[in-house]
Amino acid sequence: QDASYRFALGNLYLELVNVMDQAGILAENNLFTAISLDPNNPVYRLTLGSLYLRLKRFDLAQRQFELAITIDPNYLNAYYNLYYVQRQQSLFKQALDTLTLIKNSLPQTDSQYKQIEKEWKDFDGFVAESTKSAELKENLPPSGLATLSAELKK
């Protein structure tokens, strides 16, 4: 068994998740096999985390991104994905810490620095909007959820 072959298959099935039945299971199985054959490859962990992210299995995605970082502490793509999944789970303190680490690791001349700087500037607004959304959901009766998006646009 070749790890890169299983990774390629896993990646192929990952792309078919929303199109083909069982693609998620096939992607996961192939990525697990690739990882078992080459456990020190952070790209395999990142890709498995991306699969879980696509399936909205945020806790599993977070774990894979953390493992990718453990394997390669300089793997900024894994940090960015970790930031994103933390943000999705409303783990705002951890997300801000991760975003800060990314921002401080990139030279200002890096092509991705502007994107990270924009994320940094937009972070407070995202937290405020998410908090407002959560408060509205808690305070609305089930029939009032339909008006939630209208309230958020105000």
Side-chain angles (χ1 to χ4, degrees), residues 3-101:
S4 59
Y5 172 75
R6 296 307 289 259
F7 172 72
L9 277 177
N11 219 14
L12 174 68
Y13 286 120
L14 169 66
E15 295 304 317
L16 298 173
V17 162
N18 296 325
V19 183
M20 183 179 125
D21 287 343
Q22 305 298 313
I25 293 167
L26 292 168
E28 184 178 46
N29 288 342
N30 279 288
L31 291 169
F32 272 144
T33 301
I35 290 167
S36 70
L37 294 169
D38 186 1
N40 293 319
N41 189 323
V43 175
Y44 296 173
R45 295 284 182 180
L46 179 83
T47 305
L48 182 57
S50 297
L51 169 66
Y52 291 141
L53 191 59
R54 190 171 289 184
L55 298 173
K56 299 192 183 322
R57 297 171 67 187
F58 298 126
D59 56 331
L60 295 174
Q62 180 173 339
R63 181 70 183 131
Q64 292 305 313
F65 299 142
E66 289 167 346
L67 288 168
I69 291 165
T70 299
I71 294 167
D72 182 357
N74 298 314
Y75 194 18
L76 287 180
N77 196 1
Y79 282 100
Y80 185 79
N81 282 278
L82 178 61
Y83 155 73
Y84 181 80
V85 79
Q86 289 168 333
R87 199 179 83 168
Q88 292 300 111
Q89 297 177 94
S90 299
L91 301 172
F92 299 126
K93 166 83 172 84
Q94 294 95 321
L96 184 59
D97 290 346
T98 303
L99 189 61
T100 301
L101 190 146

